[in-house]
Every structure is written in C-alpha cells, then in structure tokens.
Amino acid sequence: MEGKYIRNTLFKAMTAPSELQLSFWMDKAVKWGQATTPSAQQDMSKHLGSLRSFLQQLLHTLQLTSSATEAVKSLPFVGQFLGRLCWNPYVTADGESCSLLLQCVCCLYSAEPRNALEQRANDWIRNLLCHLTSAEEGGVIYALERFAGIAPHHCSSQALQKMVALLTEEVSVSCSPAVHSLDRCLCDSIHAVSVACVPLITCPEAAPLIGALLKRRISCGCSHLSEEFIEAVSTALLSKTLVLEDMAVIALWCHSLSSLEGAVLSLLESVLSDPGAVLQRLEEVVSSSFLPKASAQHCCIFLIVNDVFRNVLMAMEENVAVGALIQVFTSCFLRSHSAQKQQERLPLRAFFPHVPQNLLTPLLTEPSEVPRQAWLEHVSWIGRLLHSMSREADQVEEKGDSPRQRRALFEAWFLLAQRGHWVDVAAELLVSVDAEQSEPLLCLLTFYHHPTDRGHQSSQQIMAAREAWGRMRILFLAHTLPPERLSSMNKLLSSATSANLLLRLLLSFAIFCPAFTSTAVKVLQKVLTQAELKRRAEWLLASAWHRLSRGGALDAALQDRLRALQDSLLPEHISRCT
Amino acid sequence: MEAILKNLGNTVEVLAVSQTVFVNEWDNQTVVRAFQWARYCEQVYTRFHTTPSIRAALETRLNQTNERLAETFSGYRFLTLSDLAQCQHRLFAGLLRNPVVPLSVIKSLFDKFPSFEDGGSPDEQSNETDSDLIGFIRRRSACDILCSLAVERKESCGLSRASQVQGKLLLQRIEAVQCRPDNDSYARTLLDSFLQDSGGLGNFSEVIAAALLSGYREDATAQDFLLNWLQGHRDVLHSMCQSLQPALCTKLSQQCPTFKLIYWDSLKKWASSLEYNVSDQVWVQKCSNAVSFKSVADRVKSLWSSGSPLKEEMEKDLEVLKQTDGDFEVHGLSVWTDLLNYLK
C-alpha cells in the first residue's frame, strides 16, 4: 500500500509533458534556430535552466514508452524538436543539456524496427550522430584534423583552448576611450560575450575567459555582465564545478552581493551539517573557502561576511559550532591581513568601524603575542572595560532609549565572540586566581554568555557566577568529594539559565586544576549526568584540545588529563573496556 | 618491429571489414576488441610518426595492406598514415554509417557512448569525461558559439577567429613534426595533403594568412618553413593575392617580404592588363573573370596607406612605370598615371 503511494507521488512529480509545454518549447526551438543572433542567445540564457528540467521530464517519459512508434504517437513532434536542438550549439555546449538531448534521441532507436517509421527513425538517428561527431569532408576543419595527426576530440579541445585564449586577450584589453579614441568602447560587446559564456561555465577550457570577464568589471566600470552569467558562475563556484583564479572570485563577490552571501551561507552549511567532523579541519575548510583572504583584500567583503555572521549568531545563540567558525574565520582573516604588504594594508580600524579603539587593540592581540604572566592583566583589562561599557549603557537606558549605546555594546560582544579564545583564557585563569582577581574575569564571562541582560539581571548573573565559581574551587581542591556538594552542583547545571557559562567553568577547572586526574574525572562523572550536557562538554573538550595544541601548550600531562576526561564522558561500558 | 607492423595491418583490415557487409557477424565483444586495436594503432602512430625510418616502414606496410584490401573489397578507400591517428573515430563513424551493422552493436555504441580512451598524445592528461563523445560535441559547439561573437579588433584585419585558431594549430603541427630532424619532406607532404583536402583555395588561403600573421615568437621557425613551402606553390600565393581582403594582404606584405614581392607583382600585372574603354571612360580587363580598375586601385591604396617603407617603394616603382609609359598627366592614357592620381 505504501509502496504504491510512493510510486504514485514520484510519478506525479515527473509526469509527461503537457501539450502546452510541448508547443511552448517547440516554438522556442524554432525561434532560436542555430543560435547565431545575440537576441536568440539572450533568450536562451534565460531559459537554459528550465530547458534542462524539461529535457529531464521528456527523457523520463520516453524511457517509459515501449517503442518509437508509441513515443511519436504521444509526442508527435518529438523528433523534429530533438533534431532542432541538436543543431543548436548553445544548447549542445551545455554538458547536461547535451547529455539529456542525446539520451532522448537514443530512446527513439529501435533494436528491432517493426515498421517503416521506426526504420526511418533509426536511419535518421545514425545519420544525426554521425554528423554531430564528424567534420564535413572537403572542409578546412576536416583537412586540419587529418593534418594535425591527432584524434578529433584532442583537436577540438586544442581548438577550443586557443579560441578561449584569443577571446580572453580581446576581453582583457583595457577600456580607455581617451587613448583609443577611434576604437569603440568594447563594453557593449562584453555583455554579448557574457551571454555566450553561460552554457560554457562548466567547461574547464573556458575558465580563463570567464575569469577575464569578471576581472574586467574591476578595471572598467561600464562593462555590463549578464545577470544569468553572474548567477551561473556563482552556482558553479559553490558546487565546485568551476575553478577560478583568486582575482576573478574577488571580482565576482564585489560585483554581486548575492554570490558573496551564497558563499558565506555555503560555508556555514558545511560546518553546521557535520560539526564534529569539521572541527578537526575547521581552519582548512575556512581557508579553502577563500573568504578570509578576500576579506583582507577588500574591506567591503569583510563587512558583508560579518553581517551574515551577526545575523546567524543572533538567530542561533549559543551554538558552539557557529561560534567556533566565526573565531577561526577571524583568525584566518587577521593572518591574511598581516601577510599583506605594508602599503596595501588598510588599518584594522577600518574593518571594525563600530568598536572603540581601546577595546579593539587588546582583543585583536593573539594570546601567543602576550607573555603568559601578563595574561591576567590583559584579560582583566578587557573584563573591566566591558563591565564599564555595560554600566554606561544601563545608565543611558534609564534615562531613555539609546540605540547607539546598545549598538556599541552589541558590537563589543560580537568582537568578543570573534576573538573567543580570550574567553577561554579567562576561564582557564579563573582556576588559579583569588577572589579579588576573579571579579573582572567573571564579568567578562557573564557578559559573553548573557549579553542581553541589563541592570539588575546582569548583577544577579554575576553573583550567580561568583557563587558557582566559589563552589567549584572548593570542590576541585578538596581531598574528598562530599556527595551533597556533587549533587547540588549537578542540580545547578541542570537548572539551565547559565548552563553554558557554568559548563565552561566546570570544564576549565577539570582540565587545569592541580588536583589528581582521578578527582577531576570523578567530579565530571557525578556532575554531568544529562545527555545534552555531556554532548556539549564533549565539544568543549575537543575544542580545548585544539586550542591548546595550536598554541603549543599541549604537553603530555595535559594530553593525558584531557583524554581521561573525554573518556569519562563516554557511555560506561565502553570506558570500562579501555 | 615486425609484430607492430603485423598488428597495424590487422587493424587496418578490421577497419575495412567494419565498413562492409561482413560486419553483420560482429557482436559486442568484437566491437570492444576492435576499439582496443584502434587505440593501439593510434598509440603506434603517435610514438613513431616523427621517426623517418619507422614511418617509412609503417607506410610501406600500410600500402601493402591497402592494395590487398582494394583487391578484396570493391570501392575500398585507401587509408593514409595520417588517418591512423584517428583510428577509433573512424571505426566509430564507419560503424554508424554502415547499414548492415547488427542493431545490438549500434545500441551498445549508444549505451556506452564510447569514451575514446587516450590513445592520442601521450603528454595530454585526459579523464573519462574529457575524451568522451559528449565532451567532443560540447567543445565543438563551444567553438561555434565563441566564433560567432562579434567582438572585433583592428589588428585582426578581417580574419575570422576560426581562421586565427586554425592558423595556430597549423603552426603547432609544423613545429611538432619539425622537432625531429630530417622531417622537412614529411612536413611538406603533410602540407600538400592539407591543401588537397581543404576543398578550395579560398578557405586554405585564410588559414595560411592567419598562420603567417600569428604574432607569437615561438611560431617563427614554423612560419619560415611555411613561407618556404609557399614559394614552391605559386598558385596558392596567387590565389591569396586575389581572394584575401586588401587590408589582410597589406598586413601580410608588411610582415613577409616574399609575399610583398609576389603581391606587388600581381597587382602590377593586373593593372598592366587593363585597357581603357573610351566610351565608358573606365579601365577594364577583357577576359572572363575580369578584374576591375577599382579593385586593383583599392588594393594599391591599402598598401599605400600603410605608410613607409611600402609607400616609398611603391611610389618609386609607379613613377618609373609612369615615365616608361610616356609620363602623361591626362586621364585615360596610362593606367599608372591614373593610379597615381587615385592615390594622391
């Protein structure tokens, strides 16, 4: 019963083309002819996508017919239609359409022709294929193929490469009407070239021409590329069916907002679809997207990418994978930025226009650039600054609404998210400091995890954090582990309003406390009983591993500790076996 | 070596059979094997055709096989060595065209859309998708589309993009053949065949012109060779002078002294064969495919407008001719006077 239902719905999705559709596409095929005029090509570029779908539909229908006679009866002009399209180079230049077209044609071939129609069809098909695949004898192309002493498909490949090289040269000629006053500005023809290139996007030989068309946009403001071209390039880049040089990709992103946004969203998707696997290679994935390097070269690209990130972060608060992605992106960006030549480099202020300078500098510093002894001072400074910004915002808000203040605070928080390893450092330091030193660090953590809490709520959060911190200190430094303490800690974490902050603190203590590993393991096992918390803890431990190993701080002792902690989170029967 | 020659002969025979009635005994396995042999043949060609001694042996065996096959099958078409480079394609096309081929074989050709695995240039990397039929059709269509685009540059002088590309391929081939010494006569033979196969001097002329005007320094030796060959083919040169656009001929004259001499000589010969028709007050040529005064004059003008050094040389020449004719200033008495007046 279910099978039939599924079959029927699939069938509905791919029904035979209607008469209306058939006559629409037949008209188009006739109108397009052999694709020699710019207007025909323009029209075809707009319909290439829907033509592909139609051919898919047609192919499916033809595959279901039992004979050519039946096919011709239900689709009377199918032969003519296919024949016309076979002689349309714009259609046959597109790989997918060409393949679908030829498959359709072959469906009409009868293994055992039962009547004159089928015999004629067979002859026609063989003739068609012959003509499509061979140059005409007595022509220059035929002669050249023979002369060249290589197989026709090599010859055509070389011919295409040279053709592309010729056009690439023509397109790359700069447009300066002052110098070449007699030559018309070629920009009108650039549009025609871009239209002609739409079916060629996935043709590897054509890549240089496509790159040249995109780059021309930078040097000549008046050249106008077709919308369909831009869209096709964008899609092909994301699906990796087209490879372009760096400058061409940057030109595309500067030219088309939607293609840039598409690239960012594609990166997000790849990270969110399998966060566990990607964490290992997060830097590689981010760098290969080319976004950090492009952002370093063009401020506007950086700003737009961050805009997308901001929106995603606001929609998916506390998603650790997104947070990690943003951090890694920012690090890659900063590396690309500093790798640029002095003259070409824009000051970093330009990239972070809404963040006050006194906050920007300390946050943009890498932890590796600050000596370990100075970490406490560095992070405390940041914590105090954020705290005072927060207080200021509260005061202004009491008097009335201040969007500017709120904006500045949000940007500060976003920067903190982009430079999240300072938050990790704060958590690490909290393991070893005393009560007085802990204040700014706790403020920083609270601000990070609860940016929207204002006034009274914010103070409450800090108080709660301070209390939890105090309890954890006692817990991890004790010789024995009183069960009431453990269960109350468990309850605290399960009550969830500050789960992430507390979890981070807890894990920090577990990793960095001077107590025995066995103590830390026992605490984790007793405190983390919920599956969701365990999952998040796993992630946090894994990212701690990566952070420490990248910073070169992962010595043997820490490795052992981390491994033991990770093992403790596994289901019981597994850990017993190891 | 003998083994290779034997295999070559066998493959040629297989190719021949594929185009006769005997192919109806073939099954899919036979087809697969046939394509394998064809690929082998292409590899043999690629490796050995630039070595004169081996090439000679291949040609001898090929001729012997051709003669034997001509006796067996009426209407058999002789294969040349160059044809061997395209063995797989010939097999495919031959099978498609042969009405007697078993239909199961045809279907199998469709089903696989045979990927012509790389039997050609050993230095080229090709994967499945590049060497298959769909890729081939795609690329040709891509060439067609790019050819038809209207972007034009002054430097191209009316040469179509297709001709420019063909010219480059021509030079590339000449260079490839010449990379080994002792291949001059082979290169010449190839050019002769190319001329013959082109079906008309018109198309051929454009390709040659494009080859000579190709601007890359790497092409220089090949261009020299081509010019050398052209000097032995005056008919081609004359055809070029007549059929190519004036601007193109001018450019060629600027580039190649040999061409310039022949071109200028042709123009002078045409001009001197014109007679003045008093009633119509024009210079005409009394013969079948007559050249008009205007066409000659336009060509001369194009040369003239190219500036020095051509302009000075022509002026000197024309003045001398005018003098010899009697140094008239009046219209209608000396074609040289009228030409000079047209130019100035």
Side-chain angles (χ1 to χ4, degrees):
Chain A
M1 178 66 180
E2 220 176 52
K4 201 172 170 193
Y5 172 72
I6 291 174
R7 241 183 306 131
N8 281 341
T9 41
L10 276 176
F11 218 73
K12 276 214 186 75
M14 202 60 114
T15 49
S18 67
E19 263 202 52
L20 196 60
Q21 277 179 299
L22 281 167
S23 61
F24 171 79
W25 286 111
M26 188 64 188
D27 279 342
K28 284 288 183 194
V30 171
K31 206 171 76 172
W32 291 338
Q34 294 197 323
T36 45
T37 63
S39 61
Q41 290 186 359
Q42 171 88 319
D43 192 42
M44 283 186 278
S45 72
K46 293 193 165 63
H47 288 94
L48 209 52
S50 43
L51 178 63
R52 277 191 215 123
S53 313
F54 177 70
L55 285 174
Q56 187 75 60
Q57 208 181 349
L58 191 61
L59 176 61
H60 182 83
T61 310
L62 285 172
Q63 280 169 338
L64 293 175
T65 59
S66 53
S67 72
T69 317
E70 193 192 316
V72 172
K73 229 185 262 172
S74 56
L75 304 161
F77 298 108
V78 70
Q80 256 191 61
F81 174 68
L82 295 172
R84 277 179 189 276
L85 285 186
C86 280
W87 291 113
N88 183 328
Y90 201 85
V91 172
T92 47
D94 172 42
E96 204 185 317
S97 305
C98 186
S99 167
L100 289 169
L101 204 53
L102 290 173
Q103 285 180 67
C104 285
V105 166
C106 294
C107 280
L108 295 174
Y109 196 85
S110 320
E112 313 271 324
R114 290 170 300 176
N115 52 40
L117 176 93
E118 291 183 356
Q119 183 61 54
R120 268 205 314 272
N122 280 7
D123 292 338
W124 172 72
I125 291 174
R126 291 200 347 234
N127 210 16
L128 176 69
L129 285 173
C130 230
H131 274 115
L132 280 178
T133 55
S134 322
E136 261 186 64
E137 242 177 90
V140 173
I141 298 177
Y142 176 79
L144 193 57
E145 280 176 2
R146 271 181 109 199
F147 174 79
I150 48 182
H153 63 261
H154 278 300
C155 203
S156 71
S157 173
Q158 288 184 13
L160 180 58
Q161 282 176 22
K162 291 185 164 31
M163 184 73 72
V164 166
L166 258 181
L167 268 165
T168 306
E169 223 183 284
E170 286 179 36
V171 164
S172 306
V173 164
S174 65
C175 158
S176 40
V179 177
H180 304 284
S181 52
L182 292 174
D183 292 336
R184 257 180 29 246
C185 174
L186 298 172
C187 296
D188 311 326
S189 0
I190 296 298
H191 186 260
V193 177
S194 73
V195 168
C197 283
V198 171
L200 305 179
I201 301 273
T202 50
C203 188
E205 287 98 343
L209 178 56
I210 294 172
L213 280 170
L214 289 169
K215 287 191 290 189
R216 196 195 161 90
R217 188 56 171 60
I218 295 185
S219 59
C220 173
C222 59
S223 48
H224 167 48
L225 300 172
S226 101
E227 288 290 319
E228 288 75 28
F229 173 77
I230 295 288
E231 211 182 289
V233 173
S234 214
T235 318
L237 269 180
L238 288 179
S239 61
K240 304 250 194 270
T241 46
L242 169 65
V243 176
L244 286 177
E245 53 171 322
D246 294 351
M247 283 241 42
V249 178
I250 291 183
L252 173 71
W253 285 343
C254 286
H255 178 106
S256 157
L257 182 62
S258 57
S259 63
L260 176 56
E261 285 175 347
V264 184
L265 291 172
S266 167
L267 177 62
L268 275 159
E269 223 175 299
S270 67
V271 171
L272 290 173
S273 60
D274 194 0
V278 174
L279 178 65
Q280 314 266 350
R281 315 164 15 236
L282 200 50
E283 266 195 50
E284 191 195 309
V285 169
V286 170
S287 299
S288 68
S289 74
F290 189 58
L291 285 164
K293 199 159 167 209
S295 300
Q297 293 183 22
H298 285 264
C299 194
C300 52
I301 294 184
F302 182 76
L303 295 172
I304 292 173
V305 173
N306 271 351
D307 230 9
V308 179
F309 282 156
R310 269 193 206 89
N311 287 322
V312 173
L313 211 53
M314 288 199 288
M316 303 174 73
E317 257 188 62
E318 304 271 51
N319 183 309
V320 281
V322 173
L325 171 63
I326 296 178
Q327 271 184 52
V328 171
F329 172 81
T330 314
S331 310
C332 290
F333 158 74
L334 287 171
R335 258 205 303 276
S336 298
H337 179 265
S338 54
Q340 282 181 311
K341 294 201 202 97
Q342 188 78 12
Q343 322 78 292
E344 292 172 354
R345 238 188 279 167
L346 275 177
L348 280 167
R349 285 213 57 211
F351 294 88
F352 300 92
H354 303 291
V355 180
Q357 187 70 38
N358 56 357
L359 186 62
L360 190 61
T361 319
L363 273 174
L364 285 184
T365 322
E366 290 285 335
S368 53
E369 290 168 14
V370 179
R372 232 193 144 78
Q373 315 89 283
W375 277 11
L376 180 57
E377 205 183 303
H378 193 97
V379 184
S380 304
W381 165 263
I382 298 173
R384 278 193 288 269
L385 198 53
L386 287 170
H387 189 70
S388 69
M389 276 180 79
S390 199
R391 282 278 161 273
E392 250 184 67
D394 290 342
Q395 286 174 347
V396 172
E397 213 164 296
E398 274 161 28
K399 297 188 192 141
D401 217 22
S402 170
R404 195 162 58 89
Q405 226 73 348
R406 263 189 283 129
R407 178 69 192 277
L409 209 56
F410 176 76
E411 290 299 322
W413 174 78
F414 186 63
L415 182 60
L416 192 58
Q418 288 173 300
R419 306 295 287 157
H421 40 253
W422 282 117
V423 180
D424 294 327
V425 169
E428 184 183 328
L429 290 170
L430 272 169
V431 176
S432 49
V433 297
D434 63 35
E436 198 189 317
Q437 293 168 318
S438 73
E439 265 307 309
L441 302 176
L442 288 167
C443 286
L444 190 147
L445 268 171
T446 319
F447 177 75
Y448 178 70
H449 284 283
H450 303 279
T452 49
D453 285 346
R454 293 271 75 82
H456 179 62
Q457 274 178 310
S458 164
S459 330
Q460 275 199 320
Q461 292 289 5
I462 298 182
M463 251 186 2
R466 198 180 302 128
E467 206 191 303
W469 173 72
R471 281 205 240 166
M472 284 187 208
R473 273 183 91 196
I474 300 174
L475 199 60
F476 280 93
L477 297 176
H479 290 290
T480 58
L481 295 172
E484 332 72 73
R485 285 236 171 85
L486 286 169
S487 69
S488 71
M489 185 62 68
N490 175 305
K491 256 195 230 116
L492 190 61
L493 273 161
S494 313
S495 64
T497 49
S498 325
N500 276 339
L501 192 160
L502 296 176
L503 189 59
R504 188 189 286 267
L505 260 184
L506 184 77
L507 286 172
S508 209
F509 269 100
I511 301 173
F512 296 108
C513 73
F516 288 125
T517 301
S518 51
T519 317
V521 167
K522 266 200 214 114
V523 173
L524 270 196
Q525 278 178 327
K526 295 287 182 199
V527 172
L528 292 180
T529 50
Q530 272 189 333
E532 175 59 25
L533 283 177
K534 276 200 205 173
R535 198 183 55 80
R536 282 195 236 167
E538 267 179 56
W539 173 277
L540 285 172
L541 282 173
S543 47
W545 181 293
H546 281 278
R547 173 174 75 89
L548 291 167
S549 79
R550 249 178 300 180
L554 197 63
D555 58 24
L558 262 177
Q559 276 191 40
D560 288 338
R561 170 73 66 104
L562 275 166
R563 239 181 254 125
L565 291 171
Q566 282 172 325
D567 285 344
S568 76
L569 292 173
L570 295 168
E572 288 209 351
H573 63 279
I574 296 181
S575 56
R576 279 227 189 90
C577 293
T578 49
Chain B
M1 189 63 216
E2 181 52 40
I4 294 180
L5 292 177
K6 185 158 172 293
N7 290 334
L8 187 74
N10 288 342
T11 314
V12 174
E13 286 170 7
V14 166
L15 210 57
V17 170
S18 76
Q19 298 178 19
T20 65
V21 295
F22 297 103
V23 77
N24 65 6
E25 292 162 25
W26 283 20
D27 60 13
N28 291 3
Q29 264 297 81
T30 326
V31 172
V32 167
R33 270 207 311 275
F35 271 105
Q36 284 173 345
W37 279 116
R39 187 162 64 246
Y40 169 83
C41 219
E42 287 182 10
Q43 286 167 341
V44 165
Y45 175 87
T46 312
R47 272 189 68 191
F48 295 122
H49 78 290
T50 46
T51 314
S53 49
I54 306 187
R55 184 173 66 241
L58 292 173
E59 275 172 346
T60 316
R61 181 58 64 102
L62 188 59
N63 282 334
Q64 290 171 349
T65 319
N66 273 331
E67 309 229 319
R68 238 191 8 255
L69 288 168
E71 283 167 29
T72 324
F73 302 116
S74 65
Y76 172 73
R77 227 175 104 188
F78 276 46
L79 275 185
T80 67
L81 198 62
S82 301
D83 292 330
L84 290 183
Q86 311 178 333
C87 234
Q88 290 185 85
H89 185 87
R90 284 185 163 264
L91 181 59
F92 179 78
L95 285 172
L96 265 186
R97 280 199 199 98
N98 191 338
V100 179
V101 170
L103 297 162
S104 60
V105 169
I106 293 278
K107 259 296 174 134
S108 80
L109 285 181
F110 292 172
D111 286 341
K112 280 188 307 200
F113 256 120
S115 38
F116 292 161
E117 284 151 51
D118 199 356
S121 329
D123 46 289
E124 276 187 28
Q125 276 182 358
S126 65
N127 50 35
E128 288 282 325
T129 48
D130 276 356
S131 50
D132 72 1
L133 267 176
I134 301 223
F136 175 52
I137 297 175
R138 280 190 74 180
R139 274 182 241 115
R140 272 180 56 190
S141 302
C143 269
D144 285 342
I145 296 180
L146 294 178
C147 265
S148 67
L149 287 171
V151 182
E152 274 206 27
R153 286 159 73 199
K154 268 208 328 240
E155 299 89 62
S156 54
C157 299
L159 270 177
S160 69
R161 266 190 223 103
S163 302
Q164 289 180 55
V165 166
Q166 286 157 2
K168 285 202 215 288
L169 287 171
L170 183 80
L171 290 174
Q172 194 178 294
R173 172 62 162 163
I174 294 177
E175 221 176 90
V177 168
Q178 283 201 303
C179 67
R180 290 205 49 156
D182 313 331
N183 271 329
D184 271 11
S185 60
Y186 181 43
R188 277 173 203 284
T189 321
L190 285 176
L191 278 169
D192 289 338
S193 311
F194 182 36
L195 172 57
Q196 231 178 344
D197 292 335
S198 298
L201 287 172
N203 301 332
F204 187 73
S205 305
E206 271 216 29
V207 178
I208 299 289
L212 290 174
L213 290 176
S214 153
Y216 299 95
R217 268 190 311 128
E218 307 96 63
D219 298 333
T221 37
Q223 281 171 330
D224 287 337
F225 181 84
L226 188 59
L227 269 171
N228 201 300
W229 177 85
L230 270 177
Q231 283 177 334
H233 287 80
R234 297 263 144 166
D235 52 340
V236 177
L237 280 168
H238 282 293
S239 155
M240 285 171 78
C241 296
Q242 259 189 310
S243 61
L244 294 176
Q245 302 267 341
L248 196 52
C249 290
T250 305
K251 192 102 193 274
L252 277 168
S253 306
Q254 287 175 304
Q255 207 102 329
C256 317
T258 323
F259 184 81
K260 176 188 71 180
L261 284 169
I262 300 191
Y263 188 49
W264 185 223
D265 275 345
S266 301
L267 289 177
K268 284 188 283 188
K269 215 164 83 184
W270 289 335
S272 58
S273 71
L274 290 171
E275 291 173 11
Y276 193 64
N277 181 320
V278 184
S279 42
D280 294 331
Q281 300 219 315
V282 284
W283 289 91
V284 291
Q285 195 182 47
K286 284 205 173 80
C287 69
S288 45
N289 46 352
V291 168
S292 72
F293 176 78
K294 183 106 193 351
S295 62
V296 178
D298 281 339
R299 284 181 179 274
V300 177
K301 187 152 194 186
S302 169
L303 279 175
W304 185 271
S305 330
S306 72
S308 50
L310 279 177
K311 182 167 173 219
E312 280 81 37
E313 289 175 27
M314 288 167 61
E315 197 165 9
K316 213 162 63 173
D317 241 0
L318 287 171
E319 288 287 349
V320 164
L321 286 162
K322 180 176 158 194
Q323 299 265 339
T324 339
D325 243 16
D327 207 9
F328 296 111
E329 291 295 343
V330 182
H331 172 80
L333 289 175
S334 162
V335 72
W336 310 115
T337 314
D338 289 349
L339 262 180
L340 274 166
N341 288 341
Y342 184 79
L343 291 169
K344 294 200 182 155

